[in-house]
Amino acid sequence: MPTQRLIKNYKIIDIKIHILDLEGLELLLENILLASNTPQFISTFNLDFLRIAQKDKEFENICSDALLNLPDGHGIVSLIKKKYCEKIYRITGTDIFFLLIKLSKKLDRKI
């Protein structure tokens, strides 16, 4: 996908957290919607997900297999900033929802 170069990956435990801006996310979601009707799993990864993944291997595997794990929550953002010295921004479920509404209208798709 052309937007792959816009994605940075950082690991927390063994789960990749995907970092990209909203414009890059919109392009990626559009490519996904155009390429396939197969459902995809995207998580908005937060400290609660991290806590559960550390205790529950099945949940960790689900997160590891997700198409994207986006940093949601100030705790995850702060953890990545401290561990990798990288300033990043949150992407919330609400952000994704509004992008999907915009794309559904643009691509004439139902939600």
Side-chain angles (χ1 to χ4, degrees):
M1 272 178 224
T3 56
Q4 284 292 82
R5 68 182 190 282
L6 302 175
I7 300 174
K8 289 184 178 181
N9 299 309
Y10 298 103
K11 276 198 170 188
I12 297 179
I13 54 176
D14 283 331
I15 298 171
K16 283 185 184 176
I17 307 299
H18 302 90
I19 310 301
L20 66 166
D21 59 21
L22 284 176
E23 182 180 295
L25 179 59
E26 183 176 348
L27 289 170
L28 181 61
L29 291 174
E30 184 172 355
N31 286 336
I32 292 165
L33 289 170
L34 289 171
S36 173
N37 285 331
T38 305
Q40 300 291 330
F41 177 65
I42 298 172
S43 83
T44 50
F45 202 82
N46 57 37
L47 285 180
D48 195 40
F49 279 29
L50 176 60
R51 180 187 59 77
I52 295 167
Q54 288 175 318
K55 293 180 179 184
D56 184 338
K57 189 66 174 169
E58 184 177 351
F59 186 77
E60 180 183 348
N61 290 338
I62 290 168
C63 292
S64 294
D65 292 341
L67 178 68
L68 295 170
N69 290 298
L70 301 170
D72 181 13
H74 296 289
I76 291 296
V77 169
S78 297
L79 185 61
I80 291 171
K81 182 179 179 181
K82 184 174 182 153
K83 185 174 180 179
Y84 293 100
C85 298
E86 183 80 26
K87 185 175 182 179
I88 65 166
Y89 297 97
R90 299 172 59 204
I91 295 181
T92 66
T94 304
D95 294 328
I96 296 169
F97 179 71
F98 286 117
L99 285 177
L100 288 172
I101 289 173
K102 180 179 174 182
L103 289 170
S104 71
K105 184 176 179 180
K106 178 180 177 181
L107 302 174
D108 195 28
R109 299 274 179 112
K110 292 183 180 182
I111 295 179

